[in-house]
Amino acid sequence: MHFSLTWGSVSGWWVPACLLLGLLYAWLLYRQPVNLAKYYRIGLSVARAVVVFLIAMLLVSPLVKSIRYDAQKPLVLIAQDNSSSINTFKTPGFNVDDFVAQLAKLKETLGDKYDVQEFNFDKDLANGLSTKFNGKQTDIANALHQLNNKFVNQNIGALVLATDGLYNQGNDPQYEAKNIKTSIYTVALGDTVAKRDLLIGNVNYNKTAFLGNDFEIEVLAAAYQSKGENIRLTVTEDGRQVYAQTIPVTGNDFKKLVPVKLNADKKGLRKFSINIAPVKNELSTQNNTEIIYVDVLDARQKVLVLYQSAHPDITVIKQAVETNKNYEVKTSLLADIADVKLPDYSLIILYQTNAATSPAVKNFIAKSKTAVWYILGSQSDLQGFNAEQNVVKISAGRSETQEVYALPEVGFAAFTLSDSSRKKIINLPPLLAPFGSYGTAAGTTILLKQKIGAIATTYPLLAFGDEAGRRTAVLTGEGLWRWQLSEYQNYGNRNATDELLSQTVQYLTANANRQRFRVYPARTIFDEGENVIINAELYNDALELINTPDVKIELKNAEDKSYSFLFSRTGQSYQLDAGVLPAGEYTYSASTQNGKSQFKSSGQLTVKALNLETRQSAANHQLLNTIAKQSGGQMLLPNQIGQLADLIRKNDNIKTVVYEDKHYSDIIDVKWLFVLILLLLTGEWFLRKREGEV
């Protein structure tokens, strides 16, 4: 570390002035001492001159500049593809264990001059190398993005990317690779030579259909090196063939999109197996079968939006709710309520209006248990709103609004809102909420709180309550259209806004046919490798939500293997994270007891096997070569890994970076100066005392 003085706004001429002051003071003090020998007088004069000089410098107060030099070794990042396609479609003679061992040896070969860090990835990035190769999905762009974020502003010397170039999730890796300002060395795995293979490339379909209706799915049938063969495509439901077609293969790189019309003749979750008959000498038959699940609904639930004047929020609500095909939304002016059959609706949304404005609506809500969602804004009658419900009360002296931001509540557990949506909602524009003091009733759960400016408040923005068996929601602000526009502008979609509104409606309408004990999965179909989440609700005799008793559940798969769990309490309800379950169909049976009353609930869910990794067999080395060239790196084959260390050493752009850290402090902060002054004064006094000059 290097130290020096810097003067800033103080003139450097103070140094000789302070030195002159010290010499003058020492000369005046020691010019005529009687009892001191000559060498004592000179020594004590020097000590006194130094003390006065230092004290004067402390008064002038220049700055002390310290410079520290930190050397940062170049980072070498290794990212290894851990997806199952690496081991499924490998070249002859390729040994995955030997390959990973050679990749790990790079750290030892490069030595202490480089900081080598190892990772593996499939859908997400993980620490260390892996020999499992069991990833069900591949997202190369996401792995690059996470590495870039993890080591931002650090000395990344090189990135070694070992993959086959095949990805089935995320964006094109080329664009994300451009954001990493370093040389990328790609290790090209897999075989680029297309093998004889028939496969299902993709299946497009709606996950819901309505009883008695026809619906269509689209199957992408593909064939490689199979010219002259026939693709025998069949679709079966519960072992019964419902569709069959023979497709002649006219080329060695053949693809055809086949529309398949099916009929929803049974209610519930229907399983369809799409199959292509294998041919002789086919590379793999794993990609010949795809299973899809379609939820056949008896009828759509209806949602009614009532309003007194048009507002863009109403369109946003309608679009968001109807992303779930299980819902149909009708919007109506309150003045036209005579043309609406209120008993047909599972939920009534009162947009900046009150039920008391219409006797028909008021009487219907009073007599039924239909859920109600109040949305407030600048046109709301707060006095009438307070009189109609007890979930949220607003005390306002004047009719004014203020901008409030949404702040998701961590402990909310009535339903699950994804982490990505929560993060987006925090950054969305403010809504306009009535200005006043807010209060909530006992038992009210809050999903979103108001953030006014930079201050987080306890005021509710989106709250839920249960009033005598009726589920009620209150959104205390208007301006949802701003959320939709902002989200689309920043993220290219409106997923967070749609999810929030859709989940709110699902929660409210789940009350349409109230059961005392309800157990329901977060979704009926989970992807393989995804945690299975199951929710439960228990109501007492007064239809109040409770979670005092224990709730047990048993899941059983098609092979009769059982999984037993105990629900956790969350908020006023229950939730179970069953973790990752093997792919297959499961039935569940849950039970609990409240007092002398016993309750049971059953249902089914499916963990869908993912075959994404088998849909492409020919490696994409062209992509890897492009990524390497555009970054100044190089593409290598697995048998060339031994050259990596030399390539990295010879790359002049990969070097140790020395960072200069400058720090300025007042000279008065240098503690050892005070110690030196004290020692000099103490020594001077001792010698003068001994020689009789004190």
Side-chain angles (χ1 to χ4, degrees), residues 49-90:
V50 171
V51 167
V52 173
F53 169 73
L54 292 176
I55 293 174
M57 288 292 291
L58 289 173
L59 293 174
V60 173
S61 190
L63 297 176
V64 176
K65 180 173 72 173
S66 60
I67 303 176
R68 186 177 64 188
Y69 298 97
D70 292 325
Q72 188 180 88
K73 294 185 290 186
L75 278 166
V76 176
L77 307 178
I78 301 176
Q80 170 231 328
D81 191 339
N82 188 46
S83 61
S84 60
S85 65
I86 301 296
N87 205 17
T88 304
F89 303 114
K90 57 189 177 183

Short mmCIF file of all heavy atoms in Angstrom, two decimals, residues 49-90:
data_model
loop_
_atom_site.label_atom_id
_atom_site.label_comp_id
_atom_site.label_asym_id
_atom_site.label_seq_id
_atom_site.Cartn_x
_atom_site.Cartn_y
_atom_site.Cartn_z
N ALA A 49 11.13 20.69 17.58
CA ALA A 49 10.80 21.19 16.24
C ALA A 49 9.85 20.22 15.53
O ALA A 49 8.88 20.64 14.88
CB ALA A 49 12.08 21.38 15.43
N VAL A 50 10.12 18.90 15.66
CA VAL A 50 9.26 17.90 15.02
C VAL A 50 7.85 17.94 15.62
O VAL A 50 6.84 17.88 14.91
CB VAL A 50 9.87 16.50 15.16
CG1 VAL A 50 8.89 15.43 14.69
CG2 VAL A 50 11.16 16.40 14.36
N VAL A 51 7.76 18.05 16.97
CA VAL A 51 6.45 18.08 17.64
C VAL A 51 5.64 19.29 17.18
O VAL A 51 4.45 19.17 16.83
CB VAL A 51 6.63 18.10 19.17
CG1 VAL A 51 5.31 18.45 19.86
CG2 VAL A 51 7.13 16.76 19.66
N VAL A 52 6.25 20.46 17.16
CA VAL A 52 5.53 21.67 16.75
C VAL A 52 5.13 21.57 15.27
O VAL A 52 4.03 21.97 14.88
CB VAL A 52 6.39 22.92 17.00
CG1 VAL A 52 5.72 24.17 16.43
CG2 VAL A 52 6.63 23.08 18.50
N PHE A 53 6.04 21.02 14.44
CA PHE A 53 5.73 20.84 13.02
C PHE A 53 4.51 19.93 12.83
O PHE A 53 3.59 20.24 12.07
CB PHE A 53 6.95 20.26 12.30
CG PHE A 53 6.67 19.79 10.90
CD1 PHE A 53 6.47 20.71 9.87
CD2 PHE A 53 6.59 18.44 10.61
CE1 PHE A 53 6.20 20.27 8.58
CE2 PHE A 53 6.32 17.99 9.33
CZ PHE A 53 6.12 18.91 8.31
N LEU A 54 4.48 18.80 13.56
CA LEU A 54 3.36 17.85 13.43
C LEU A 54 2.06 18.46 13.92
O LEU A 54 0.99 18.29 13.30
CB LEU A 54 3.67 16.56 14.19
CG LEU A 54 4.80 15.70 13.63
CD1 LEU A 54 5.07 14.50 14.53
CD2 LEU A 54 4.48 15.23 12.21
N ILE A 55 2.12 19.18 15.06
CA ILE A 55 0.89 19.80 15.58
C ILE A 55 0.38 20.86 14.61
O ILE A 55 -0.83 20.96 14.35
CB ILE A 55 1.15 20.41 16.97
CG1 ILE A 55 1.44 19.29 17.99
CG2 ILE A 55 -0.04 21.26 17.42
CD1 ILE A 55 1.84 19.79 19.36
N ALA A 56 1.29 21.62 14.02
CA ALA A 56 0.88 22.64 13.05
C ALA A 56 0.25 21.98 11.81
O ALA A 56 -0.74 22.49 11.26
CB ALA A 56 2.09 23.49 12.65
N MET A 57 0.84 20.86 11.38
CA MET A 57 0.28 20.15 10.22
C MET A 57 -1.12 19.61 10.52
O MET A 57 -2.01 19.62 9.66
CB MET A 57 1.21 19.01 9.81
CG MET A 57 2.50 19.47 9.14
SD MET A 57 2.22 20.22 7.52
CE MET A 57 1.73 18.81 6.58
N LEU A 58 -1.32 19.13 11.76
CA LEU A 58 -2.65 18.66 12.15
C LEU A 58 -3.67 19.79 12.09
O LEU A 58 -4.83 19.59 11.71
CB LEU A 58 -2.61 18.05 13.55
CG LEU A 58 -1.90 16.69 13.69
CD1 LEU A 58 -1.80 16.28 15.16
CD2 LEU A 58 -2.65 15.61 12.90
N LEU A 59 -3.24 20.99 12.45
CA LEU A 59 -4.15 22.13 12.41
C LEU A 59 -4.45 22.53 10.96
O LEU A 59 -5.57 22.91 10.63
CB LEU A 59 -3.53 23.31 13.17
CG LEU A 59 -3.40 23.12 14.70
CD1 LEU A 59 -2.65 24.29 15.32
CD2 LEU A 59 -4.77 22.97 15.34
N VAL A 60 -3.44 22.46 10.10
CA VAL A 60 -3.66 22.77 8.68
C VAL A 60 -4.56 21.71 8.04
O VAL A 60 -5.39 22.00 7.17
CB VAL A 60 -2.31 22.86 7.93
CG1 VAL A 60 -2.52 23.02 6.44
CG2 VAL A 60 -1.50 24.03 8.48
N SER A 61 -4.41 20.43 8.46
CA SER A 61 -5.26 19.30 8.07
C SER A 61 -5.24 19.01 6.57
O SER A 61 -6.26 19.12 5.88
CB SER A 61 -6.70 19.53 8.53
OG SER A 61 -7.46 18.36 8.36
N PRO A 62 -4.09 18.59 6.02
CA PRO A 62 -4.09 18.07 4.63
C PRO A 62 -4.71 16.67 4.61
O PRO A 62 -5.01 16.10 5.66
CB PRO A 62 -2.61 18.03 4.28
CG PRO A 62 -1.93 17.80 5.60
CD PRO A 62 -2.74 18.55 6.62
N LEU A 63 -4.90 16.11 3.42
CA LEU A 63 -5.47 14.77 3.27
C LEU A 63 -4.36 13.75 3.04
O LEU A 63 -3.36 14.04 2.39
CB LEU A 63 -6.44 14.72 2.09
CG LEU A 63 -7.69 15.60 2.19
CD1 LEU A 63 -8.49 15.52 0.90
CD2 LEU A 63 -8.55 15.20 3.37
N VAL A 64 -4.57 12.55 3.58
CA VAL A 64 -3.64 11.45 3.35
C VAL A 64 -4.26 10.54 2.29
O VAL A 64 -5.37 10.03 2.46
CB VAL A 64 -3.39 10.65 4.64
CG1 VAL A 64 -2.49 9.45 4.36
CG2 VAL A 64 -2.76 11.54 5.70
N LYS A 65 -3.55 10.36 1.18
CA LYS A 65 -4.03 9.49 0.11
C LYS A 65 -3.34 8.14 0.21
O LYS A 65 -2.12 8.06 0.20
CB LYS A 65 -3.74 10.12 -1.26
CG LYS A 65 -4.22 9.25 -2.42
CD LYS A 65 -4.10 9.94 -3.76
CE LYS A 65 -2.66 10.05 -4.19
NZ LYS A 65 -2.52 10.57 -5.57
N SER A 66 -4.17 7.08 0.34
CA SER A 66 -3.63 5.71 0.36
C SER A 66 -4.09 4.98 -0.90
O SER A 66 -5.26 5.09 -1.29
CB SER A 66 -4.09 4.97 1.62
OG SER A 66 -5.50 4.88 1.65
N ILE A 67 -3.19 4.29 -1.52
CA ILE A 67 -3.48 3.55 -2.75
C ILE A 67 -3.18 2.08 -2.52
O ILE A 67 -2.06 1.73 -2.12
CB ILE A 67 -2.65 4.07 -3.94
CG1 ILE A 67 -2.91 5.57 -4.16
CG2 ILE A 67 -3.00 3.29 -5.21
CD1 ILE A 67 -2.06 6.16 -5.26
N ARG A 68 -4.21 1.22 -2.76
CA ARG A 68 -4.03 -0.22 -2.61
C ARG A 68 -4.25 -0.88 -3.97
O ARG A 68 -5.19 -0.53 -4.69
CB ARG A 68 -5.02 -0.78 -1.59
CG ARG A 68 -4.80 -2.26 -1.28
CD ARG A 68 -5.75 -2.74 -0.21
NE ARG A 68 -7.13 -2.67 -0.66
CZ ARG A 68 -8.18 -2.88 0.13
NH1 ARG A 68 -7.99 -3.14 1.41
NH2 ARG A 68 -9.41 -2.81 -0.37
N TYR A 69 -3.42 -1.82 -4.29
CA TYR A 69 -3.51 -2.52 -5.58
C TYR A 69 -3.97 -3.96 -5.33
O TYR A 69 -3.30 -4.70 -4.61
CB TYR A 69 -2.17 -2.50 -6.30
CG TYR A 69 -1.70 -1.10 -6.62
CD1 TYR A 69 -0.79 -0.44 -5.78
CD2 TYR A 69 -2.17 -0.43 -7.74
CE1 TYR A 69 -0.37 0.85 -6.07
CE2 TYR A 69 -1.74 0.85 -8.04
CZ TYR A 69 -0.85 1.49 -7.20
OH TYR A 69 -0.44 2.77 -7.48
N ASP A 70 -5.15 -4.31 -5.91
CA ASP A 70 -5.69 -5.66 -5.76
C ASP A 70 -5.63 -6.37 -7.11
O ASP A 70 -6.19 -5.89 -8.10
CB ASP A 70 -7.15 -5.61 -5.28
CG ASP A 70 -7.25 -5.09 -3.86
OD1 ASP A 70 -6.35 -5.39 -3.06
OD2 ASP A 70 -8.23 -4.38 -3.56
N ALA A 71 -5.00 -7.52 -7.13
CA ALA A 71 -4.90 -8.31 -8.36
C ALA A 71 -6.02 -9.35 -8.37
O ALA A 71 -6.22 -10.08 -7.39
CB ALA A 71 -3.55 -8.99 -8.44
N GLN A 72 -6.80 -9.39 -9.48
CA GLN A 72 -7.87 -10.38 -9.62
C GLN A 72 -7.53 -11.32 -10.77
O GLN A 72 -7.41 -10.92 -11.93
CB GLN A 72 -9.22 -9.70 -9.88
CG GLN A 72 -10.38 -10.68 -9.85
CD GLN A 72 -11.70 -10.02 -10.10
OE1 GLN A 72 -12.12 -9.88 -11.24
NE2 GLN A 72 -12.36 -9.59 -9.04
N LYS A 73 -7.37 -12.59 -10.42
CA LYS A 73 -7.05 -13.59 -11.43
C LYS A 73 -8.22 -13.72 -12.41
O LYS A 73 -9.38 -13.53 -12.04
CB LYS A 73 -6.77 -14.93 -10.76
CG LYS A 73 -5.53 -14.95 -9.88
CD LYS A 73 -5.24 -16.34 -9.34
CE LYS A 73 -6.26 -16.75 -8.31
NZ LYS A 73 -5.89 -18.05 -7.66
N PRO A 74 -7.92 -14.06 -13.66
CA PRO A 74 -9.02 -14.23 -14.63
C PRO A 74 -9.89 -15.43 -14.26
O PRO A 74 -9.39 -16.49 -13.89
CB PRO A 74 -8.29 -14.44 -15.96
CG PRO A 74 -6.93 -14.90 -15.59
CD PRO A 74 -6.60 -14.26 -14.28
N LEU A 75 -11.20 -15.22 -14.35
CA LEU A 75 -12.17 -16.29 -14.10
C LEU A 75 -12.31 -17.16 -15.35
O LEU A 75 -12.47 -16.64 -16.46
CB LEU A 75 -13.53 -15.70 -13.74
CG LEU A 75 -13.76 -15.25 -12.30
CD1 LEU A 75 -15.01 -14.39 -12.24
CD2 LEU A 75 -13.91 -16.44 -11.38
N VAL A 76 -12.27 -18.44 -15.17
CA VAL A 76 -12.59 -19.38 -16.25
C VAL A 76 -13.83 -20.16 -15.80
O VAL A 76 -13.77 -20.92 -14.83
CB VAL A 76 -11.42 -20.33 -16.55
CG1 VAL A 76 -11.83 -21.35 -17.61
CG2 VAL A 76 -10.20 -19.55 -17.02
N LEU A 77 -14.94 -19.93 -16.48
CA LEU A 77 -16.20 -20.56 -16.11
C LEU A 77 -16.45 -21.76 -17.01
O LEU A 77 -16.33 -21.66 -18.24
CB LEU A 77 -17.35 -19.56 -16.24
CG LEU A 77 -17.17 -18.22 -15.51
CD1 LEU A 77 -18.36 -17.31 -15.78
CD2 LEU A 77 -16.99 -18.46 -14.01
N ILE A 78 -16.79 -22.89 -16.41
CA ILE A 78 -17.12 -24.10 -17.17
C ILE A 78 -18.61 -24.38 -16.96
O ILE A 78 -19.07 -24.54 -15.83
CB ILE A 78 -16.29 -25.31 -16.70
CG1 ILE A 78 -14.79 -25.02 -16.86
CG2 ILE A 78 -16.68 -26.56 -17.47
CD1 ILE A 78 -13.90 -26.13 -16.32
N ALA A 79 -19.37 -24.41 -18.06
CA ALA A 79 -20.80 -24.70 -18.01
C ALA A 79 -21.06 -25.96 -18.82
O ALA A 79 -20.89 -25.98 -20.04
CB ALA A 79 -21.62 -23.53 -18.55
N GLN A 80 -21.47 -27.02 -18.13
CA GLN A 80 -21.65 -28.34 -18.76
C GLN A 80 -23.14 -28.68 -18.86
O GLN A 80 -23.88 -28.60 -17.88
CB GLN A 80 -20.91 -29.40 -17.94
CG GLN A 80 -21.21 -30.82 -18.34
CD GLN A 80 -21.60 -31.68 -17.15
OE1 GLN A 80 -21.13 -31.47 -16.03
NE2 GLN A 80 -22.47 -32.65 -17.38
N ASP A 81 -23.57 -29.04 -20.06
CA ASP A 81 -24.95 -29.43 -20.30
C ASP A 81 -25.24 -30.77 -19.61
O ASP A 81 -24.57 -31.77 -19.87
CB ASP A 81 -25.18 -29.56 -21.82
CG ASP A 81 -26.65 -29.70 -22.18
OD1 ASP A 81 -27.44 -30.10 -21.32
OD2 ASP A 81 -26.99 -29.41 -23.35
N ASN A 82 -26.25 -30.78 -18.72
CA ASN A 82 -26.58 -31.98 -17.96
C ASN A 82 -27.91 -32.60 -18.42
O ASN A 82 -28.50 -33.39 -17.72
CB ASN A 82 -26.66 -31.65 -16.46
CG ASN A 82 -26.81 -32.87 -15.59
OD1 ASN A 82 -26.12 -33.87 -15.77
ND2 ASN A 82 -27.75 -32.83 -14.65
N SER A 83 -28.39 -32.21 -19.62
CA SER A 83 -29.67 -32.73 -20.10
C SER A 83 -29.51 -34.15 -20.63
O SER A 83 -28.41 -34.59 -21.01
CB SER A 83 -30.24 -31.82 -21.18
OG SER A 83 -29.37 -31.74 -22.28
N SER A 84 -30.63 -34.87 -20.69
CA SER A 84 -30.58 -36.28 -21.06
C SER A 84 -30.23 -36.51 -22.52
O SER A 84 -29.79 -37.60 -22.90
CB SER A 84 -31.93 -36.95 -20.75
OG SER A 84 -32.97 -36.33 -21.46
N SER A 85 -30.39 -35.49 -23.39
CA SER A 85 -30.07 -35.67 -24.81
C SER A 85 -28.57 -35.93 -25.02
O SER A 85 -28.18 -36.56 -26.00
CB SER A 85 -30.49 -34.44 -25.61
OG SER A 85 -29.75 -33.29 -25.23
N ILE A 86 -27.73 -35.46 -24.10
CA ILE A 86 -26.28 -35.66 -24.24
C ILE A 86 -25.94 -37.14 -24.23
O ILE A 86 -25.11 -37.62 -25.01
CB ILE A 86 -25.53 -34.94 -23.09
CG1 ILE A 86 -25.83 -33.44 -23.09
CG2 ILE A 86 -24.03 -35.18 -23.20
CD1 ILE A 86 -25.36 -32.70 -24.30
N ASN A 87 -26.58 -37.88 -23.34
CA ASN A 87 -26.29 -39.31 -23.21
C ASN A 87 -27.13 -40.16 -24.15
O ASN A 87 -26.75 -41.29 -24.48
CB ASN A 87 -26.53 -39.75 -21.76
CG ASN A 87 -25.71 -40.97 -21.38
OD1 ASN A 87 -24.74 -41.31 -22.05
ND2 ASN A 87 -26.10 -41.63 -20.31
N THR A 88 -28.28 -39.62 -24.60
CA THR A 88 -29.18 -40.39 -25.46
C THR A 88 -28.69 -40.43 -26.90
O THR A 88 -28.71 -41.48 -27.56
CB THR A 88 -30.60 -39.81 -25.40
OG1 THR A 88 -31.04 -39.77 -24.05
CG2 THR A 88 -31.57 -40.65 -26.22
N PHE A 89 -28.25 -39.27 -27.41
CA PHE A 89 -27.85 -39.17 -28.81
C PHE A 89 -26.35 -38.85 -28.92
O PHE A 89 -25.96 -37.87 -29.53
CB PHE A 89 -28.68 -38.09 -29.52
CG PHE A 89 -30.16 -38.32 -29.41
CD1 PHE A 89 -30.96 -37.44 -28.70
CD2 PHE A 89 -30.75 -39.42 -30.00
CE1 PHE A 89 -32.32 -37.65 -28.59
CE2 PHE A 89 -32.12 -39.63 -29.90
CZ PHE A 89 -32.91 -38.74 -29.18
N LYS A 90 -25.52 -39.67 -28.32
CA LYS A 90 -24.08 -39.44 -28.33
C LYS A 90 -23.44 -40.14 -29.52
O LYS A 90 -24.00 -41.07 -30.11
CB LYS A 90 -23.47 -39.94 -27.03
CG LYS A 90 -23.74 -41.41 -26.74
CD LYS A 90 -23.29 -41.78 -25.34
CE LYS A 90 -23.63 -43.24 -25.03
NZ LYS A 90 -23.27 -43.60 -23.65
#
